[in-house]
Amino acid sequence: MGRRLVLTSFGESHGKSIGAVLDGCPAGLELDEKDIQKMLDQRRPGQSSICTQRKEKDIVEIISGVFQRHTTGAPITMIIQNNDQKSRDYDSLRTKLRPGHSDYTAAEKYRGYNDYRGGGRFSGRLTATHVMGGAIARKLLKTALNIRTNSYTTQIGKTCMKKEFNEKIAGMIYKNDARCPDAKTAKTMKSDIINARKNGDSLGGIIESVTLNMPVGLGEPIFGSLESDLSSAMFSIPSVKGVEFGSGFEGAKKYGSENNDLYVVKRNKIVTSTNNSGGILGGISNGMPIVMRVAFKPASSIAKKQDTIDYKTKKRTTLRVKGRHDPCVVPRAPPVVDSLVSLVLADHALISGKIGPVL
Amino acid sequence: MGRRLVLTSFGESHGKSIGAVLDGCPAGLELDEKDIQKMLDQRRPGQSSICTQRKEKDIVEIISGVFQRHTTGAPITMIIQNNDQKSRDYDSLRTKLRPGHSDYTAAEKYRGYNDYRGGGRFSGRLTATHVMGGAIARKLLKTALNIRTNSYTTQIGKTCMKKEFNEKIAGMIYKNDARCPDAKTAKTMKSDIINARKNGDSLGGIIESVTLNMPVGLGEPIFGSLESDLSSAMFSIPSVKGVEFGSGFEGAKKYGSENNDLYVVKRNKIVTSTNNSGGILGGISNGMPIVMRVAFKPASSIAKKQDTIDYKTKKRTTLRVKGRHDPCVVPRAPPVVDSLVSLVLADHALISGKIGPVL
Amino acid sequence: MGRRLVLTSFGESHGKSIGAVLDGCPAGLELDEKDIQKMLDQRRPGQSSICTQRKEKDIVEIISGVFQRHTTGAPITMIIQNNDQKSRDYDSLRTKLRPGHSDYTAAEKYRGYNDYRGGGRFSGRLTATHVMGGAIARKLLKTALNIRTNSYTTQIGKTCMKKEFNEKIAGMIYKNDARCPDAKTAKTMKSDIINARKNGDSLGGIIESVTLNMPVGLGEPIFGSLESDLSSAMFSIPSVKGVEFGSGFEGAKKYGSENNDLYVVKRNKIVTSTNNSGGILGGISNGMPIVMRVAFKPASSIAKKQDTIDYKTKKRTTLRVKGRHDPCVVPRAPPVVDSLVSLVLADHALISGKIGPVL
Amino acid sequence: MGRRLVLTSFGESHGKSIGAVLDGCPAGLELDEKDIQKMLDQRRPGQSSICTQRKEKDIVEIISGVFQRHTTGAPITMIIQNNDQKSRDYDSLRTKLRPGHSDYTAAEKYRGYNDYRGGGRFSGRLTATHVMGGAIARKLLKTALNIRTNSYTTQIGKTCMKKEFNEKIAGMIYKNDARCPDAKTAKTMKSDIINARKNGDSLGGIIESVTLNMPVGLGEPIFGSLESDLSSAMFSIPSVKGVEFGSGFEGAKKYGSENNDLYVVKRNKIVTSTNNSGGILGGISNGMPIVMRVAFKPASSIAKKQDTIDYKTKKRTTLRVKGRHDPCVVPRAPPVVDSLVSLVLADHALISGKIGPVL
């Protein structure tokens, strides 16, 4: 993923370890494990009552590309050991296709050679590798251009945050388990998730991402548009099924005269009075905040009994998905979205020369 | 765009010509200009009362890669001459920033060197180059794997098609100007667009795309997911602001037990009883129809007077966008969506070996 | 070819036209057809008594990416019409495999769908597309960084230039048909070629390329080394069979103490007293001239009778290659080598930020 | 490196560890650490009296992409811990530029942030990461297509092997320290190296690589030629300064009638009676053995006193390179060349569909 700043991710849910190589990071960025660990901790399983109880400390180790606490310009490799695999949980359902999961597509594509334990390569656990690279990209954007990305839960099931986001409430995001900057909505979201789990069920939701202090001119027309690259990155997160920018699907219902953002001058800078474009025009950033909304389907692993098929016998059967699962992955997703947004924007900052090869 | 099947697009709205090079098409596909012209005619301006009256016949010429009416395996180059440019229409507004357009971002990015006539490189006219490549990809998919893509208008402004799509009504899409397979809804859509234009305004809408007869196993986990590549392609279309697959944003409101698609066996094939996944699980096709919805913002060029800024003087001013514009680009978009879907799927068919280097 | 500055070439020897798209050229470079035509004229067939008499004026037309005599940042497309094809010359030998040519490999790879006329996609004629892109890259390097590339004939058959190259004799390269900056050697080379042709035979040779005024720091360690990219570009020229930098194959015979270039300070700049490295250390330019030597095999098309096989019948047969061929391609190669060197160096200048996205 | 089979290498000479990620390997290849270890052992330092005495066991660990002793189709990550770094050896010469090394270019490019210990990212030690990936590619080619690559020393300093290579003597390569299949020449080579070291000096040489049982049709015309990709791979090895195929630089001296390989039929297969093309015509394999020669400069690190410059003060100084160095890297290079040839050929086998996504 990426053209100048290239992230390679590796590992499986129940393998020895997972990791990432970030190639193309400029030399001279101050960096140590703590910078990455902080974001990993926000994604980590087992951190609250509403996420999976798999116990992974997710301690990251940097094994290349950093010397004397600064990046060297060489590929940065990071690794996390897997500790708390319970692969036995998966043996019973090896051939029972779990609805909503990739069991069937993976088995067909790799003719059975894929590592099926815990979803293997397809597991949400791999989003930790996005965070490894993304934490560096985020620090790079902050250091070099003071760009700040904020992603947060704006909807869980049918519960929506009504308040508009502003930077003042950014500090509230990680104050609650739902990762919603509005405390009251967060409370409802949490109880919704707890109820769903009690019923052996799961919930989906929406993450909104707002990036502030964008320079004008990141992105390319047509094939290298910011929207293309951001959406492509979002759909690399398991469970994501929709992405929109600015007024998005709602904008499709409006008249041009309602949806067009009018230009005005503020503090001698050209800006728009509204932001229905989500900060992107012609595939290129216009200096307004980049606003993106990402839809997550409800988690596929549910304790409720479901009808399904046995892959080998093609006979009908039923299953209850055991193991330790998130009843809703959305609260763990904000650092993942932040990471991928940062990777894409840092890539474009490098492409456009806003960030050079040495800081 | 693309990894194995690479489309390079070139040209500007008011330049000499526009064109595309498609590299990686297997040798041995029967092909001549007619195959491409047919889809170009469906996108062509001036074809109905509800689109721009710019008169372009858009006659395509193949200048390389085809020999004795078959592809040779070499890059296929296609060109359309631009005929009906009225660049003078754009002189008056050279420095007046048109709301919703890329005038500002392009001028900043290229420091004034960009070709501003008719939107230049950013013009919707460039989607004709998508169609050039896409027509070939579509024929390739049909010939080699009998994959069939159908894209159609499902919403204009607030008017939605209620009927569910099925292959029987596919033949209806191009029977009306709105490109909606439901004739009655199409009529309302058309009058909505005519009314908007009368008011000097514009409308947006939604294109739905359904691809039938998909093989299982196209796509990759994580960074090369089908959703990543399809959405990336969609956001290369000017005006697209949202993309969703299957139940998409609606699915985010559901419980897992509602949204999971249950496996059943039909005619000795494993299928799902519903298709909330839109045919993609773990980034890989599961054999069900690929269902995608694409949101278009209302066209930015409107005749109504709008407040704006003069780019040079940074003074407030007003403008009415002259020139010949689409009051709604959606009815011209189905062949563009079909094209990009086909390019992405053909690319993955080549990657996965479902299509070889020679037919 | 290229990462930031991407050249796509298209066309066939006997097709309608050949052309190139150069994507990634910074905006703001002054450019018109003359800049490209000049280098094309140096490569053009029919320009002297020692090259093929195929009459192609090779008039280039820019059809996109240039506006008001400057590059816009959009893809630059250039086209040359083919005029003087004599495809009939090739009919007789359609199935007789020409020794040294790609007839057999192309027929096998594309199972007969390839355009076989005049070598089709494999023809040396396609090097004109390298020159189209390379002429722009060369002007970009000259304008932005004053980098100057000089390629010239240093060997034809067994005749070698003994003189060392220096910038003073650069002006002599195009003063003779052999493209050798030493007039006396050039004369022998020319008569060698004329004699070979008289005997129905052909000759090979060596092009040396010296690039002056290099900045330090272009290139990358390991996979993106300057040597990797330059050699890869050279081997895209038909007939090239060897590439070496600095002391190259001769250096393999030396001791380290002889081959190491010692550092000295000249005019307050760190340089080396010798240049056995050819200006590249660790894959990165060290500021010394880049010196590369490129070996061309003798032209495969010869009038002499040769034994061969009929591809269809697998029977033994003989052939004399008719048509109008170069008895030695080397004298036409200097602009091609200049072009490819320029494309690679401009690509790396963009990657390293020495040239920005707008001039 | 690579298009379908992508090798990412990471690590530094004196960092914690070095490693590689191989992405794109088909699922279903039987694989464990032993397959890789065997080739690493052939490259390992300290294995004979004529190479560096740095003691690295180079024990490889596979940490992803293999499950139940077979590849899964997911990225394969391999790691070697660094053990025997003696970074202190490098402190004294931190600012004294070592002739022939990348100290100067690296320091300039990364403005001092690069890891300078033991050459850091530029060290020949990184070729172990080529071998990690290459060992897998080699096994893949052998298993799927029975392609066999043999690389061996053919020249050290001025001592050349006169015998022609054939598969019968392939088994002799690793029977001596020089890695030359001719025992007698090997003996001279070894004593030459020992003498050079005694004199505080070093030697270069040539590796020849012969790949047998090639299918016809690997490679592409123009930019994706086999020669382009092979040479690009070779120049990613530190010290390589020249690459030629078939008759190479010698061929440039010949007449076409001498150099053309004539087609004949043997055992009902079309072959050539000579192999001056080195098995590649038009960038595509013709089924004959791929023959490539790679020139290595003499090792830059020598114990002899050399004049140089201090990078900081720009003052003249002298140095003797301490540390444990190879007096000649060539005998350790055959597995590296084998590896890179295998990676390139496996990549093209995947591109051309000769190897599918699952074995």
Side-chain angles (χ1 to χ4, degrees), chain B residues 41-215:
Chain B
D41 288 347
Q42 294 173 345
R43 195 214 71 98
R44 194 159 52 80
Q47 58 184 317
S48 90
S49 61
I50 55 169
C51 65
T52 171
Q53 295 308 304
R54 177 170 172 171
K55 280 184 190 74
E56 292 288 359
K57 290 205 172 146
D58 282 0
I59 304 299
V60 70
E61 187 190 8
I62 298 176
I63 61 176
S64 76
V66 175
F67 177 55
Q68 297 178 334
R69 295 176 55 99
H70 286 79
T71 57
T72 62
I76 305 169
T77 309
M78 295 151 282
I79 287 195
I80 289 176
Q81 305 300 324
N82 285 333
N83 293 314
D84 190 29
Q85 310 100 313
K86 297 209 174 163
S87 304
R88 234 158 317 156
D89 290 350
Y90 292 89
D91 280 354
S92 69
L93 48 81
R94 188 173 169 189
T95 61
K96 284 187 186 181
L97 297 176
R98 293 173 302 163
H101 276 286
S102 60
D103 302 350
Y104 174 59
T105 53
E108 287 282 306
K109 185 172 183 74
Y110 301 108
R111 289 187 223 146
Y113 286 112
N114 59 302
D115 180 349
Y116 55 82
R117 299 167 302 165
R121 182 80 187 134
F122 293 81
S123 167
R125 178 148 183 71
L126 267 298
T127 58
T129 68
H130 299 169
V131 175
M132 294 177 199
I136 300 174
R138 206 178 183 212
K139 183 163 189 190
L140 176 63
L141 289 172
K142 184 82 168 56
T143 306
L145 299 169
N146 199 23
I147 293 175
R148 300 181 302 275
T149 294
N150 303 281
S151 303
Y152 48 87
T153 305
T154 188
Q155 187 178 321
I156 296 286
K158 284 165 187 154
T159 303
C160 301
M161 178 171 103
K162 295 279 182 297
K163 251 191 201 165
E164 193 131 312
F165 178 81
N166 60 62
E167 205 165 9
K168 280 172 222 153
I169 61 171
M172 304 295 295
I173 300 173
Y174 288 94
K175 294 269 158 76
N176 61 66
D177 292 344
R179 307 315 192 200
C180 172
D182 181 47
K184 217 173 131 187
T185 314
K187 220 171 151 181
T188 318
M189 287 172 168
K190 185 170 176 175
S191 69
D192 288 352
I193 295 174
I194 292 173
N195 283 332
R197 188 172 52 189
K198 272 188 199 151
N199 299 331
D201 218 327
S202 66
L203 281 170
I206 294 176
I207 300 283
E208 197 165 271
S209 173
V210 176
T211 303
L212 300 161
N213 208 33
M214 281 295 297

Side-chain angles (χ1 to χ4, degrees), chain C residues 201 227-228 232 241 257 268, chain D residues 201 227-228 232 241 257 314:
Chain C
D201 218 326
E227 288 131 323
S228 285
S232 174
K241 283 301 196 179
S257 59
N268 206 31
Chain D
D201 218 328
E227 289 131 323
S228 285
S232 175
K241 284 302 197 178
S257 58
K314 286 198 180 171

Side-chain angles (χ1 to χ4, degrees), chain D residues 183-257:
Chain D
K184 218 175 131 186
T185 315
K187 219 171 152 181
T188 318
M189 287 172 168
K190 185 169 175 176
S191 70
D192 288 351
I193 296 174
I194 291 173
N195 283 332
R197 189 173 52 189
K198 270 187 199 151
N199 298 331
D201 218 328
S202 66
L203 281 170
I206 295 177
I207 300 283
E208 197 165 271
S209 173
V210 176
T211 303
L212 300 161
N213 208 33
M214 281 295 297
V216 185
L218 298 196
E220 307 285 332
I222 313 187
F223 298 132
S225 84
L226 265 196
E227 289 131 323
S228 285
D229 285 358
L230 285 168
S231 69
S232 175
M234 289 308 125
F235 284 112
S236 75
I237 309 175
S239 302
V240 169
K241 284 302 197 178
V243 172
E244 61 180 7
F245 297 89
S247 61
F249 279 89
E250 274 307 303
K253 298 181 190 160
K254 294 188 185 171
Y255 286 107
S257 58

